[in-house]
Amino acid sequence: MSSKPIVEARGIHKHFGAVHVLKGVDLRVAERELVFIIGPSGSGKSTLLRCLNRLEAPSSGSVVVDGIDMLDPKTDINHARQRIGMVFQSFNLYPHMTALGNVTLALRKVAGKSRTEAEAIGRAALDRVGLADRAEHTPGQLSGGQQQRVAIARAIALEPRVMLFDEPTSALDPELVGSVLEVMRSLRESGMTMVVVSHEMGFARAAADRVVFMDHGQIVEQGAPAEIFEAPKEERTRAFIGQIQRH
Ligand SMILES: Nc1ncnc2c1ncn2[C@@H]1O[C@H](COP(=O)(O)OP(=O)(O)O)[C@@H](O)[C@H]1O
Ligand SMILES: [Mg+2]
């Protein structure tokens, strides 16, 4: 990895009470890189993502995103978080607001855009996820895949430097997964730096630069998708890959 990292996490430990959830994780993500994180349930993938934008405070270690020290108490965390888009398994849209209302909310309240400006940016973001004609629909009038695409539009409207995806397709009916992966693929083609926790192996093979396998709060092994999926070096990786491929 030659280009400068957008994300640089070093020595991340996280304890929840007596439970040691992250045990010294180092993760560098270069500009325009798509890093895929896989691993068993409970291995610490979500906690790691949440430590990157300080939704969780690591117990120790350092996190620098786009040159900003995310753990420095002097850092304006709300401002810093605008550079980091996050998409969750549950879409977290406001049910009483339209798609456009959901996408423009942070533009107006956090980024300080006028209504007119926010709506122009919001409509462009909805267009990028293929939902230009759904701007006035509320979440209840949209499919799960469309709702997740609204959530992606909401994140990209803030022009983040990196996007974090935590199992973005896990809550979707199988026939709706493709539309969300398609949007992620186009984001990737536009040069977005992305960290994706997902079990969508086909997508990982096609789009990921690097696959990171986590188990028990540590990175066990990482490498190109073909290496990790076809020739994993570690027994734990082999066992996990074998399991998910049987599904
Ligand atoms: N807020 C929390 N309080 C206590 N334990 C937590 C909390 N969040 C996660 N954990 C624990 O941390 C471990 C890792 O969880 P998580 O990061 O969600 O794993 P993954 O995303 O890989 O499934 C699990 O054992 C989980 O129960
Ligand atoms: Mg998780």
Side-chain angles (χ1 to χ4, degrees), residues 172-214:
L172 299 177
D173 291 332
E175 74 274 19
L176 302 177
V177 168
S179 69
V180 171
L181 295 181
E182 195 45 54
V183 165
M184 292 171 67
R185 195 168 288 133
S186 85
L187 261 186
R188 197 259 175 298
E189 277 160 15
S190 75
M192 180 65 77
T193 306
M194 297 163 71
V195 183
V196 181
V197 172
S198 166
H199 293 165
E200 293 290 341
M201 296 302 144
F203 180 71
R205 277 167 201 264
D209 295 296
R210 180 156 51 109
V211 176
V212 172
F213 172 63
M214 281 184 74

Side-chain angles (χ1 to χ4, degrees), residues 16 19 21 40-47 56:
F16 287 111
V19 188
V21 171
S41 179
S43 57
K45 306 178 299 294
S46 295
T47 305
E56 295 289 355

Side-chain angles (χ1 to χ4, degrees), residues 211 213 220-239 241:
V211 176
F213 172 63
V220 173
E221 180 169 3
Q222 54 184 308
E227 282 177 62
I228 299 298
F229 295 135
E230 272 119 51
K233 293 187 184 68
E234 301 293 330
E235 181 48 44
R236 276 193 283 175
T237 318
R238 257 195 297 268
I241 301 288

